[in-house]
Amino acid sequence: MSGLGARDIGHRVVVRHRIPGGLTDVIGVLQSWDPQSLAVRHADSTVHEIPAADVTAAKTIPEMPLRPVDVDQLFLTTALGRPAVERAYIGHWLLRASSGWTGRGNSLLPTGSPGMPVPDVLRQAEDFYTERGLPPQAQVRLGSPQEEEIRACGWVDARPEQSDVLVMHTTLDHVNAEPGYDVQLAERPNAQWYAGAFEGPVPDVAPKVLEGAAKAVFASVTLDGQVVAVGRGSMTGHWLGVDAIRVCAAYRRRGLGTAIVQGLARWAGTQDGRRTYLEVLLENAAAVTTYTRLGYREAYRYRYLTNR
């Protein structure tokens, strides 16, 4: 099969093979390989299964360059991939509440036009969060007009001691190599998954948030009879959102987090996925290094603002 093997699963390849009447080339990601056949997934997610006897030449090729991302679209996509329990709109601006669990689930997301002056929007947001016993917060993309407008109304950093949050993105071609561990996927998380995802009690509202997406999957790796790594994937259009990655302390630095990302990416390829994003604190240097090595690149940064 001219140079390809199981080690190349997950990488871009070109395969020349016989078809009735001649030869043709298929370019895509090698999805499976064995001595009898191989399967190549094209960029449009079409899978081409090719008998080994029909292959005349095959080799790996460089990954496609990472295209620029529409940051406004991605900003909204991240919210849809992990929807809050309560949602309300002021124009295009999204109010979110989830009993106080996570900043993303309990903040105003300013994207697009609110349809009214920003001071009026912020007053409505203040009322929304005060009624729920929550501090008013806005998740703002750094350098955006919305950040400037909200700061002009007197809102300040809600978490000045914390670093920026990076939103990183790449294509599935970069991260869907075969995982080094057996990654199990489930449509619903069980008690073992939650035990791996949280240190201590699981917040009551967490399952509503984590299981609230229209299309999500829950990944885990089991070693020595216990779940030692977990992660969550959600599909919004062609975007795979990766979050809730956690590796037990005793099993870190073994590539388990990388395996979780790769397992989720391979699942997304079967769901018409093409691109993927994740979020990480800038101060988490080890995670940023791992994701950069996998092919993720910064799309934008965000912070939380508050009126207090």
Side-chain angles (χ1 to χ4, degrees):
M1 213 168 286
S2 190
L4 294 185
R7 67 187 181 281
D8 299 310
I9 292 174
H11 296 281
R12 294 186 74 236
V13 298
V14 57
V15 178
R16 176 162 294 182
H17 63 101
R18 300 182 186 87
I19 59 173
L23 297 172
T24 190
D25 291 335
V26 173
I27 297 176
V29 175
L30 185 64
Q31 184 163 292
S32 65
W33 179 96
D34 62 43
Q36 287 72 46
S37 66
L38 57 78
V40 177
R41 179 168 55 80
H42 193 262
D44 64 3
S45 294
T46 301
V47 176
H48 299 265
E49 297 184 357
I50 306 168
D54 290 340
V55 175
T56 62
K59 64 179 181 178
T60 60
I61 57 176
E63 297 168 337
M64 292 184 66
L66 188 58
R67 303 192 314 272
V69 65
D70 183 332
V71 293
D72 289 324
Q73 178 200 56
L74 182 55
F75 192 48
L76 178 59
T77 295
T78 62
L80 299 177
R82 186 166 165 165
V85 175
E86 289 186 77
R87 299 180 295 276
Y89 284 92
I90 303 175
H92 294 140
W93 289 23
L94 174 61
L95 291 162
R96 301 171 292 179
S98 303
S99 301
W101 185 64
T102 78
R104 283 179 284 177
N106 297 274
S107 56
L108 171 67
L109 189 85
T111 178
S113 170
M116 64 175 67
V118 170
D120 295 340
V121 176
L122 297 182
R123 280 191 287 271
Q124 290 192 31
E126 290 167 5
D127 291 342
F128 177 87
Y129 290 110
T130 299
E131 289 170 2
R132 289 156 178 80
L134 299 170
Q137 290 191 116
Q139 179 186 342
V140 296
R141 182 168 57 82
L142 296 184
S144 67
Q146 292 86 356
E147 180 199 10
E148 182 178 343
E149 292 170 334
I150 293 173
R151 286 189 183 274
C153 292
W155 285 46
V156 297
D157 281 354
R159 306 173 184 182
E161 75 289 349
Q162 189 180 83
S163 68
D164 299 342
V165 180
L166 297 183
V167 177
M168 306 182 76
H169 73 110
T170 190
T171 64
L172 293 185
D173 287 5
H174 285 77
V175 293
N176 65 357
E178 185 175 17
Y181 296 88
D182 181 19
V183 178
Q184 299 296 313
L185 301 175
E187 293 184 359
R188 287 286 180 267
N190 57 20
Q192 289 73 32
W193 189 93
Y194 277 111
F198 290 88
E199 185 174 356
V202 179
D204 290 341
V205 74
K208 294 180 181 178
V209 174
L210 295 173
E211 300 178 41
K215 185 185 292 186
V217 72
F218 299 83
S220 62
V221 174
T222 299
L223 295 176
D224 304 323
Q226 64 175 324
V227 172
V228 298
V230 298
R232 172 184 177 272
S234 61
M235 292 301 304
T236 305
H238 65 266
W239 280 100
L240 165 70
V242 174
D243 68 350
I245 294 180
R246 185 169 182 270
V247 179
C248 293
Y251 290 84
R252 289 172 185 164
R253 301 187 182 278
R254 299 190 190 183
L256 286 159
T258 293
I260 290 289
V261 173
Q262 291 168 331
L264 292 171
R266 292 169 76 85
W267 167 80
T270 69
Q271 307 297 316
D272 297 328
R274 297 196 297 277
R275 308 187 81 170
T276 171
Y277 67 86
L278 50 76
E279 302 185 9
V280 61
L281 283 168
L282 179 61
E283 64 195 37
N284 189 348
V288 172
T289 298
T290 295
Y291 298 141
T292 300
R293 189 178 297 122
L294 276 170
Y296 282 91
R297 297 294 181 266
E298 179 180 336
Y300 60 87
R301 304 182 182 193
Y302 72 78
R303 296 190 69 84
Y304 293 99
L305 304 182
T306 183
N307 67 340
R308 299 175 183 173

